Amino acid sequence: MTLMTSELVYSFGHFRLWPERRALVAGEQPIKLGSRAFDLLATLVGAAERVIGKSELMEAVWPRLVVEENNLNVQIVALRKVLGHAAIATIPGRGYRFVMPVQAEGGPEVAVPAADAATAGPAALTADPSASVSPPTNLVGEPPKLYGRGDDVNAVLTLLVDHPVVTVTGAGGVGKTRLGEAVAYSLIAGFPDGVWWVELAALSDPALVAAAVARALGLDADSARSPTRQIVSVLRSQHALLVLDNCEHLLDAVAEFVDAVRASAGEVRILLTSQEAVKTAGEHIYRLDTLGVPAARSGGSTSTLQEVAMCGAGALFVARARAVQPQFQLNATNVDAVAEICRCLDGIPLAIELAAARLPLLGVEGVRARLKERFNVLTGGTRAVLRRHQTLRAALEWSLGLLIEPERTVFRRLGVFAGGFTLESAQRVCEDEAIDVWDVLEHLGTLVDKSLVLAEGMPVPRYRMLETTRLFALEQLGGAGETAALLRLHATAMRTLLEKYDLEARRRDLSVAEDRLLALEGDNIRAAYEWLTTTSGPADDLLAVELGSVAVMPLACAGGVSEGFDRTLVFRSRIGAATPPAVAARFWLALARWGAIVGRLEAYDAAARAIELCRGLGDAAGLFMALTSRIAIGARRGDSAQLGACVEEARRIERPEWVASMHSSFLWACYRWLQAEGRPEEAGACARERAAFSARGGSPLYEQIHLGDNVADCELAAGRPEIAEALCRTALATIGDYPWGRAHVLETLAFVCAAQGNSSESIEHGRAALRASRDMGMHFRMLEAMAFNAARQGRLDDAAWVVGHVDRLYAERGEVRWPHVQARRHQLDALLAAMSGDDRARLGAEGAVGDIEAAFERGFGPLARGPSFVGDG
């Protein structure tokens, strides 16, 4: 729908402004501005090229009102978000000037697109600085600006009302992701339990689909149950939207996951983007076509400015052109060239963006000429049947052809990075005899400028390629015969980067921010691990062990301790006689330290090997950490009688200058050992010492909470549940909303209340512990507390069933119980002794094959059943 008007209209770039109608349009897309922002824009445009003082602007926008100057700054920022930062110049000490070339028109009728919900919604979210988005969602930043997609957005929104699963399909580069983002942003207010974006492009393993969704939801994929079951339990009673982007290479896994969610979470809507249908139950397909292009004109007539600016492809080209060349303006001189570029590229958004990125180098006519040269073959009779992804490939090849040879080399080599990279890593991978590190920096900047690489603002800047571009780069790498060499360089770069952090961690405890930066390398570490599993030979064996020795902790930060431990454990077979002792020692120490945390029995052997090697190397710090790990895992194994010598040796070599976490870990291991020795008073004293040490040293909160958790365990074991309860309650008041600490303390408190016969309060704390721990893989551990409570209530059948289930989970995970947990289990077994052996064995066997949802229901009992179970909170 259009409105006809003869009023004054200003044109600048691909924007048009009607001051009287208070309308601003970008191409065909109406832009919604706040009233103050619109008044400011009209004032600036009306006096284009003149510097306007701040007082004059404030009087024009806030007449007869006294307001802070900061209000003007806010509106300037809002306008720059819409028009581009360079549109409004700041003149220090004087004011502002609108610098875009402006044409004023009046008299002839001009069509003004009418704003409607289908087109104005996403633009309004972007442009209006007063708009606010309410959580929960993991979407960050601003919604994308779309061109020519208003009908598509509206269509997908309508489909999601009537269909549980909607898949947006289309060719690569057609804009499925941006459409999905626009839909997701517009629906944040419509889903009270969240809109969650899940990026699947970087995944190569179908088994990680559910884990990726779990991470997006804030859940920990390192769970006692499968990530899918964990997700289903959370979403069961929720009204939420999941958006899974780039599904085409994981179709079977995505279909299986979607079917599982739909079977149990009927109020959840799922939006998928994929190059083809996922073929899952209830799926409705929306095929996204290319952007509209200017119609081909016969007889040599030219396209009109309005025709090109109003079509989606033309509007997108103009917007991207202004981003790289702010002075660009669609006019009678270049309109035909822009129209032809849009048509030659079939309206494919990615190809259009790549073309616009070349304007500073070639100009519009240069781009037009190169397009003709590249696509002459493709238009010779077979154009009509050419697959769109081949057209996109041609656009990428054309774009690559415009780079100089060193830029092409850097481009294809960057394809080995998965999930992004740092400048330092890029330099290590891309440099050679002809390209030094400074050349890499320069060429990377060029690739960023030309939109072949994206720069992401972070404390340590990171870069990434769009996945389609990355795959194209990998193809070029293969064509150059460099794949094997670059994959080795990539793995080497990861080792070097992580070694630097590992060495720094020996000097000081890393900050939370540094841990998060390391977690960002998770995809790169996985890619390096996967490549190393396909190689053999002395050099690659050594590289695998070197990388494994420093990668467990970053993988633990990225995906969970168990993932880091399990992936690294594979490389233990690569250690041989040729492995340098220092490298082997560091590898076994990494397995020992992280395996001890998750209670893996393999960590005991790793600790023994690390102790032997560190002694031989004279590495006192490594020996101390290896002894600490052996003490901790040995306490779980029941080898406490053999650990006294380890404790004494560690005490002899301990040095005060070592980082605080080493001393804290040793006290923690000693506390576990004393528990296993049956010395609760000494264990309690050790736990108190650790908590006090952590507080003095400024250690993280998760260590300081042990005063209320570990000490409470000791008090409970000593038969003083009242003191244990008081310690737990004090700890809960101290740690606030910290989830890991709350989960531990609430689990202990649930057992304390059960021991005191307070069943209802035990269940209340158990439910709270479940809410706090459901994203950390601790669910199954609290079940024994609930089984103990059930047994105290006389529900022996439920208790025996749950015990069978928990025993199976411990065995599956390769974990053994901590000493205090073993003591609790003995108390539970004593209560279950009232049952016949046959009944207990039968119920335990049933529990072992049951699912965790049934285990929670039987553990919590009748009070747990109802709509708020598991997913509440």
Side-chain angles (χ1 to χ4, degrees):
M1 175 182 175
T2 59
L3 303 173
M4 303 306 296
T5 178
S6 59
E7 69 190 53
L8 175 67
V9 56
Y10 294 107
S11 298
F12 41 95
H14 70 295
F15 293 95
R16 286 171 297 155
L17 175 71
W18 287 264
E20 295 180 21
R21 191 175 294 277
R22 301 185 69 80
L24 175 67
V25 172
E28 65 175 343
Q29 181 78 46
I31 302 296
K32 183 179 178 182
L33 294 176
S35 62
R36 304 298 186 186
F38 188 92
D39 290 341
L40 178 60
L41 177 62
T43 302
L44 288 167
V45 171
E49 297 303 320
R50 179 172 72 84
V51 177
I52 307 179
K54 293 182 179 180
S55 59
E56 181 181 347
L57 286 173
M58 295 179 71
E59 177 60 30
V61 178
W62 293 275
R64 296 179 299 281
L65 294 177
V66 178
V67 297
E68 295 290 334
E69 186 175 306
N70 181 59
N71 290 293
L72 178 60
N73 297 335
V74 169
Q75 302 304 326
I76 291 289
V77 169
L79 290 178
R80 284 172 171 164
K81 286 183 179 179
V82 176
L83 306 174
H85 188 273
I88 303 172
T90 301
I91 311 301
R94 297 180 60 193
Y96 298 95
R97 183 178 66 192
F98 194 80
V99 297
M100 297 176 69
V102 176
Q103 291 183 348
E105 303 175 15
E109 292 187 336
V110 182
V112 185
D116 55 39
T119 58
L125 285 173
T126 301
D128 189 355
S130 64
S132 61
V133 177
S134 299
T137 182
N138 65 339
L139 292 167
V140 296
E142 299 287 339
K145 293 182 182 179
L146 298 185
Y147 301 90
R149 293 298 193 199
D151 291 343
D152 296 311
V153 171
N154 193 50
V156 174
L157 290 172
T158 301
L159 289 173
L160 281 169
V161 173
D162 300 322
H163 302 279
V165 182
V166 176
T167 301
V168 178
T169 65
V174 79
K176 301 182 294 294
T177 294
R178 286 187 178 176
L179 180 70
E181 288 176 338
V183 170
Y185 272 101
S186 66
L187 288 175
I188 289 175
F191 286 88
D193 295 307
V195 172
W196 307 104
W197 184 270
V198 185
E199 175 56 64
L200 301 181
L203 294 187
S204 58
D205 185 356
L208 294 177
V209 168
V213 179
R215 286 195 296 273
L217 290 170
L219 308 178
D220 187 352
D222 178 25
S223 175
R225 48 185 167 166
S226 71
T228 299
R229 286 184 176 178
Q230 186 181 3
I231 293 163
V232 168
S233 72
V234 172
L235 297 178
R236 188 183 302 278
S237 60
Q238 292 194 355
H239 184 51
L241 173 67
L242 297 181
V243 187
L244 276 61
D245 187 43
N246 289 299
C247 302
E248 56 269 5
H249 59 305
L250 304 164
L251 292 176
D252 292 340
V254 171
E256 181 180 353
F257 171 79
V258 171
D259 287 341
V261 172
R262 291 300 309 147
S264 301
E267 292 301 314
V268 172
R269 288 290 188 266
I270 302 176
L271 177 62
L272 310 171
T273 73
S274 175
Q275 290 192 17
E276 59 182 294
V278 177
K279 298 181 181 178
T280 185
E283 180 184 25
H284 193 90
I285 308 301
Y286 183 80
R287 183 166 296 280
L288 184 62
D289 206 347
T290 54
L291 291 173
V293 299
R297 305 178 71 86
S298 60
S301 59
T302 61
S303 301
T304 66
L305 287 170
Q306 182 165 302
E307 180 184 2
V308 175
M310 292 285 285
C311 73
L316 176 61
F317 183 90
V318 172
R320 295 297 179 261
R322 286 203 53 77
V324 298
Q325 200 172 55
Q327 71 273 21
F328 178 84
Q329 183 178 0
L330 186 66
N331 54 41
T333 303
N334 61 28
V335 65
D336 271 351
V338 172
E340 186 172 351
I341 290 170
C342 292
R343 287 194 294 267
C344 285
L345 295 178
D346 289 332
I348 297 174
L350 179 55
I352 290 170
E353 293 187 359
L354 291 169
R358 303 301 177 262
L359 287 182
L361 178 64
L362 298 172
V364 177
E365 289 299 335
V367 171
R368 182 188 200 181
R370 291 298 182 97
L371 278 176
K372 286 183 178 180
E373 294 170 5
R374 174 54 66 182
F375 286 112
N376 275 341
V377 175
L378 301 179
T379 57
T382 59
R383 174 76 173 186
V385 295
L386 188 68
R387 288 171 60 89
R388 287 195 181 96
H389 79 269
Q390 291 174 317
T391 304
L392 178 59
R393 183 186 303 278
L396 287 166
E397 289 173 347
W398 159 77
S399 178
L400 188 66
L402 298 180
L403 299 176
I404 62 175
E405 187 56 38
E407 292 169 353
R408 294 177 195 160
T409 301
V410 171
F411 169 77
R412 65 175 179 258
R413 291 176 179 177
L414 291 177
V416 299
F417 289 104
F421 53 90
T422 64
L423 171 62
E424 180 182 358
S425 294
Q427 290 173 322
R428 289 199 175 100
V429 165
C430 296
E431 70 169 320
D432 58 20
E433 296 82 2
I435 303 175
D436 64 23
V437 293
W438 297 107
D439 292 332
V440 175
L441 173 61
E442 184 68 25
H443 298 327
L444 176 60
T446 298
L447 295 174
V448 170
D449 290 343
K450 295 182 176 181
S451 301
L452 288 168
V453 173
L454 304 179
E456 299 178 325
M458 305 185 70
V460 176
R462 288 183 68 82
Y463 305 87
R464 67 179 176 90
M465 285 180 166
L466 295 173
E467 188 62 14
T468 302
T469 309
R470 190 176 82 89
L471 295 176
F472 178 73
L474 288 174
E475 288 185 0
Q476 300 300 308
L477 195 67
E482 294 182 334
T483 300
L486 264 294
L487 289 174
R488 182 173 285 105
L489 278 173
H490 173 258
T492 303
M494 287 299 102
R495 178 208 62 194
T496 304
L497 174 68
L498 300 180
E499 278 180 342
K500 181 182 70 172
Y501 277 96
D502 185 72
L503 181 62
E504 187 64 23
R506 292 276 189 120
R507 300 190 183 105
R508 62 177 178 83
D509 289 319
L510 299 182
S511 66
V512 173
E514 287 171 313
D515 286 344
R516 288 173 178 167
L517 287 175
L518 282 174
L520 294 174
E521 301 296 346
D523 288 332
N524 278 316
I525 297 171
R526 295 182 186 108
Y529 269 35
E530 288 169 9
W531 175 74
L532 283 165
T533 59
T534 68
T535 65
S536 60
D540 291 337
D541 288 345
L542 177 59
L543 179 57
V545 177
E546 288 176 334
L547 179 60
S549 69
V550 292
V552 186
M553 191 271 281
L555 271 179
C557 294
V561 177
S562 288
E563 181 191 0
F565 183 85
D566 289 337
R567 284 182 179 269
T568 305
L569 191 64
V570 173
F571 292 145
R572 61 182 170 177
S573 62
R574 310 285 283 268
I575 296 179
T579 307
V583 174
R586 190 167 59 182
F587 178 87
W588 291 119
L589 180 58
L591 284 180
R593 295 180 70 186
W594 293 94
I597 292 174
V598 293
R600 296 292 294 271
L601 293 176
E602 298 96 331
Y604 194 70
D605 175 64
R609 293 171 183 262
I611 288 170
E612 180 182 358
L613 288 165
C614 288
R615 280 201 186 109
L617 291 166
D619 180 0
L623 176 59
F624 182 79
M625 290 185 285
L627 288 167
T628 295
S629 300
R630 186 167 188 179
I631 294 165
I633 195 63
R636 276 190 166 189
R637 281 170 48 100
D639 297 340
S640 61
Q642 304 175 27
L643 298 177
C646 292
V647 173
E648 290 305 316
E649 182 176 5
R651 285 173 175 162
R652 286 197 307 271
I653 65 174
E654 187 175 12
R655 299 176 186 172
E657 66 268 19
W658 288 340
V659 295
S661 59
M662 290 173 60
H663 303 293
S664 178
S665 295
F666 176 63
L667 289 171
W668 168 73
C670 289
Y671 149 72
R672 295 301 190 187
W673 168 64
L674 291 166
Q675 276 188 322
E677 284 276 275
R679 297 152 65 180
E681 299 296 339
E682 294 172 81
C686 189
R688 288 187 177 89
E689 182 183 355
R690 184 197 181 198
F693 172 82
S694 298
R696 288 196 307 272
S699 294
L701 187 60
Y702 71 84
E703 291 189 355
Q704 298 180 36
I705 61 100
H706 289 291
L707 177 60
D709 181 32
N710 294 162
V711 179
D713 288 333
C714 295
E715 294 293 345
L716 183 61
R720 296 188 288 268
E722 298 83 3
I723 298 176
E725 180 181 358
L727 286 167
C728 286
R729 295 189 184 281
T730 299
L732 288 176
T734 301
I735 62 179
D737 294 328
Y738 183 68
W740 184 271
R742 291 193 71 82
H744 275 291
V745 177
L746 287 166
E747 178 193 1
T748 301
L749 186 55
F751 204 100
V752 168
C753 290
Q756 294 175 298
N758 192 342
S759 296
S760 60
E761 194 164 354
S762 176
I763 290 174
E764 177 186 343
H765 295 310
R767 289 167 65 85
L770 171 61
R771 291 193 293 270
S773 68
R774 62 188 180 188
D775 61 343
M776 296 182 296
M778 292 173 52
H779 296 67
F780 77 100
R781 298 175 188 173
M782 77 180 67
L783 281 172
E784 276 187 326
M786 292 300 95
F788 181 71
N789 185 62
R792 289 292 302 264
Q793 289 179 315
R795 296 188 290 114
L796 298 183
D797 286 1
D798 283 341
W801 195 100
V802 172
V803 164
H805 186 78
V806 173
D807 285 346
R808 189 256 294 176
L809 291 175
Y810 266 108
E812 279 184 356
R813 293 166 65 93
E815 289 192 32
V816 289
R817 291 171 175 83
W818 287 114
H820 74 284
V821 179
Q822 294 174 16
R824 293 177 185 177
R825 176 57 182 273
H826 294 329
Q827 296 180 50
L828 176 55
D829 287 340
L831 294 173
L832 292 176
M835 301 179 68
S836 71
D838 290 343
D839 284 346
R840 181 174 178 183
R842 173 180 55 81
L843 288 163
E846 291 177 4
V849 298
D851 63 34
I852 200 162
E853 303 303 330
F856 278 117
E857 289 212 12
R858 296 195 73 144
F860 283 100
L863 289 179
R865 299 186 175 99
S868 64
F869 174 63
V870 176
D872 60 353

